[in-house]
Amino acid sequence: MDSFSSPSPGSSQQMSAQELKNKLQSQLALEYAQQFLETVRGKCFEKCITKPGSSLSGSESSCISRCVDRYIEATGIISKTLFGGSQH
Amino acid sequence: MDFSKLDSSEMQQFFSQEQQLAMVNEMVSKLTDACWDKCITGTPGNKFSSSESACLSNCAQRYIEMSVLIMKKFQSMQ
């Protein structure tokens, strides 16, 4: 395995492979999360905000909360059906 | 930044793994999106009814079967 020097703060970059991998994985995880949130927003707006009022009602708020939970659960069901085990 | 590390076999393997994970994520996302629309017709409740969760599971399986069917048909047309 290669040996890389770790960067000291402020030094010009020489990132280790592991650091690079970690950084890439963090970035990817963030992207996936953003994408997921975008989808959930769309679905729950559709389901819960049927007639937009001048403020979010209590029933709309609780609908949204349930909707998010259900969508996460649905993702788990699909994931498990396709790939088995428990994915997150 | 030193980019020479990027074509090491270690990084290649990493990219290959991440690519697979991305494809898995894409598939799950797409199917959850489509199956949610098909199966969750009412207002979301505190839990799924048994028919809702069965529908979701069935939906994913039927999609896979459909994909196989389409592939076979397409191949028979070549």
Side-chain angles (χ1 to χ4, degrees), chain A residues 66-75, chain B residues 36 44-48:
Chain A
R66 293 191 311 264
C67 176
V68 174
D69 287 340
R70 297 290 74 71
Y71 199 84
I72 290 168
E73 196 180 339
T75 304
Chain B
W36 173 272
N46 286 310
K47 58 188 177 103
F48 285 137

Side-chain angles (χ1 to χ4, degrees), chain A residues 4 25 43 47 66 70, chain B residues 5 33 37 40 44-46:
Chain A
F4 300 93
Q25 278 178 326
K43 297 303 183 193
K47 287 283 183 204
R66 293 191 311 264
R70 297 290 74 71
Chain B
K5 313 293 187 286
D33 189 317
D37 289 344
I40 313 305
N46 286 310

Side-chain angles (χ1 to χ4, degrees), chain B residues 13-25:
Chain B
Q13 188 178 51
F14 173 78
F15 291 138
S16 167
Q17 281 172 338
E18 287 303 324
Q19 214 167 9
Q20 290 208 348
L21 287 174
M23 292 194 298
V24 166
N25 180 74

Side-chain angles (χ1 to χ4, degrees), chain B residues 66-78:
Chain B
M66 180 199 70
S67 295
V68 174
L69 209 68
I70 288 172
M71 187 59 78
K72 282 181 178 164
K73 181 164 177 64
F74 188 72
Q75 282 169 347
S76 76
M77 285 158 61
Q78 299 302 302

Side-chain angles (χ1 to χ4, degrees), chain B residues 32-50:
Chain B
T32 306
D33 189 317
C35 295
W36 173 272
D37 289 344
K38 287 201 185 293
C39 296
I40 313 305
T41 46
T43 309
N46 286 310
K47 58 188 177 103
F48 285 137
S49 68
S50 55

Side-chain angles (χ1 to χ4, degrees), chain A residues 35-75:
Chain A
Q35 202 172 55
F36 183 77
L37 284 175
E38 182 67 38
T39 306
V40 170
R41 279 197 292 267
K43 297 303 183 193
C44 297
F45 190 75
E46 201 179 298
K47 287 283 183 204
C48 297
I49 317 293
T50 43
K51 282 195 96 53
S54 56
S55 66
L56 220 53
S57 74
S59 72
E60 285 171 327
S61 300
S62 43
C63 178
I64 290 163
S65 180
R66 293 191 311 264
C67 176
V68 174
D69 287 340
R70 297 290 74 71
Y71 199 84
I72 290 168
E73 196 180 339
T75 304

